[in-house]
């Protein structure tokens, strides 16, 4: 019998994570002898987790808010993408060294590969916007602009990542064929009916991509679809970041269709 391997997710708070169910299901499907557990961690004790990771050892881990920046400091080496974004969401071992990757960026890119865009607008300036801008740069989108309600944050992030900062009031006039919602508008809760752009924003043809996945069809995506735009929900980014982590840990492919079905089923049951 192969020895069981322990995988972990740390974050604070962690209550709503779908990652344990998804990875444990995939271990069962692929026959990989893994067990994935959630370890909510108090921010002041996060260093203890990295000691445990090396001592036990834990075979692989996901890191979520607010520990992704600290995780970059704790690894022996990080990928170019993780270093560029300044955050690690996946830890794995190679030749006895603890490595860091950012599969949020890889997951965001997954539905956009093999496609061409001439101009992208990213709405928001938090961690999700940061991942989106790095991903669009990696994909070679020629023009990327960032608009955020608080302009100073857009300007700071844009100058750091080398893209344009657009005043929030000018977002509607910005012509693009890819629009990304990286704000929290549209998320289940008080802002569920809101979108970062008015419906009249969606002119011509393009793809609207929402990082929010609860609910899957946000106001932003509904308005885009009504205007004839293609839409992409945040479910893809979530599933694909998990599939990329799973591949790093096991060398195996997490079955795609089953993974989407599991996540959609879990979201519908919430
Ligand atoms: P994350 O790291 O997940 O991206 P975040 O750092 O909290 O989360 O960022 C949330 C984003 O949603 C921010 O860009 C925020 O804009 P501000 O920087 O101006 O706060 C944006 N956001 C939240 N509520 C908003 C609202 N009512 N209108 C416009 N943007 C909003």
């Amino acid at each position: 019998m192969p020895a069981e391997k322990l995988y972990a997710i740390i974050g604070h708070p962690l209550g709503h994570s779908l990652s344990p169910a998804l990875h444990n299901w995939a271990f069962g499907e692929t026959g990989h002898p893994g067990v994935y557990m959630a370890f909510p961690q108090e921010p002041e004790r996060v260093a203890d987790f990295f000691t445990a990771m090396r001592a036990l050892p834990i075979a692989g881990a996901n890191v979520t808010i607010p520990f992704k920046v600290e995780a970059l400091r704790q690894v022996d080496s990080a990928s170019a993408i993780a270093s560029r974004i300044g955050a690690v969401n996946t830890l794995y071992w190679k030749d006895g060294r603890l490595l860091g990757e950012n599969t949020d960026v890889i997951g965001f890119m997954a539905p956009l590969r093999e496609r061409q865009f001439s101009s992208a607008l990213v709405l928001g300036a938090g961690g999700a916007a940061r991942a989106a801008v790095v991903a669009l740069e990696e994909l070679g989108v020629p023009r990327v602009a960032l608009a955020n309600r608080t302009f100073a944050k857009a300007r700071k992030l844009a100058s750091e990542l080398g893209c344009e900062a657009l005043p929030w009031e000018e977002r509607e006039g910005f012509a693009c064929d890819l629009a990304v919602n990286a704000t929290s508008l549209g998320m289940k809760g008080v802002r569920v009916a809101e979108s970062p752009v008015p419906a009249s924003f969606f002119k011509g043809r393009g793809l609207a991509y929402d990082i929010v996945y609860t609910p899957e069809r946000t106001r932003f995506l509904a308005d885009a679809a009504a205007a004839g735009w293609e839409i992409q929900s945040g479910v893809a980014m979530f599933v694909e970041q998990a599939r990329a982590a799973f591949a790093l840990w096991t060398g195996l492919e997490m079955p795609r269709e089953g993974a989407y079905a599991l996540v959609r089923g879990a979201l519908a049951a919430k």
Side-chain angles (χ1 to χ4, degrees):
M1 280 287 284
E4 283 208 326
K5 293 180 161 66
L6 176 61
Y7 297 84
I9 180 168
I10 58 163
H12 181 81
L14 249 192
H16 58 284
S17 175
L18 296 177
S19 295
L22 182 58
H23 286 287
N24 284 320
W25 164 81
F27 290 146
E29 286 292 300
T30 58
H32 181 80
V35 176
Y36 186 111
M37 292 181 62
F39 294 101
Q41 199 76 18
E42 291 300 323
E44 54 277 13
R45 297 196 54 198
V46 68
D48 294 352
F49 173 80
F50 289 93
T51 305
M53 175 106 197
R54 292 174 187 272
L56 286 175
I58 294 173
N62 282 135
V63 179
T64 188
I65 289 167
F67 303 131
K68 295 183 193 187
V69 175
E70 175 63 16
L72 179 66
R73 285 195 281 268
Q74 295 277 352
V75 293
D76 297 324
S77 179
S79 72
I81 284 179
S83 303
R84 171 103 179 107
I85 194 172
V88 156
N89 83 321
T90 299
L91 304 168
Y92 66 106
W93 293 98
K94 193 171 179 201
D95 304 328
R97 300 176 73 232
L98 185 60
L99 304 186
E101 180 54 279
N102 194 304
T103 69
D104 291 331
V105 176
I106 295 168
F108 179 84
M109 287 194 288
L112 302 178
R113 289 197 187 278
E114 328 264 309
R115 299 190 55 143
Q116 299 285 325
F117 300 99
S118 56
S119 178
L121 177 62
V122 176
L123 300 145
R130 194 180 181 86
V133 171
V134 170
L136 296 175
E137 170 193 321
E138 187 75 14
L139 288 166
V141 176
R143 188 171 180 201
V144 178
L146 195 62
N148 191 55
R149 176 180 59 177
T150 311
F151 185 56
K153 277 165 72 181
R155 204 169 36 204
K156 183 162 181 286
L157 189 59
S159 77
E160 192 188 323
L161 298 179
C163 68
E164 283 173 53
L166 195 73
W168 188 242
E169 304 71 39
E170 291 175 26
R171 67 197 187 289
E172 199 185 343
F174 186 81
C176 61
D177 52 4
L178 174 62
V180 180
N181 177 28
T183 73
S184 48
L185 296 177
M187 211 177 270
K188 203 164 150 182
V190 289
R191 305 228 170 268
V192 71
E194 295 180 43
S195 166
V197 289
S200 53
F201 168 84
F202 299 102
K203 295 182 256 312
R205 287 288 171 267
L207 173 70
Y209 192 154
D210 208 324
I211 283 179
V212 172
Y213 61 89
T214 48
E216 184 166 9
R217 180 167 273 235
T218 55
R219 173 76 185 275
F220 175 72
L221 295 186
D223 288 347
W229 277 43
E230 286 179 76
I231 59 172
Q232 178 63 60
S233 84
V235 170
M237 180 174 173
F238 177 74
V239 170
E240 297 299 341
Q241 65 74 28
R243 295 182 74 243
F246 190 85
L248 289 172
W249 296 333
T250 66
L252 302 171
E253 197 174 322
M254 180 190 286
R256 180 180 267 120
E257 278 182 30
Y260 277 88
L262 183 143
V263 169
R264 290 198 165 110
L267 292 175
K270 275 194 171 194

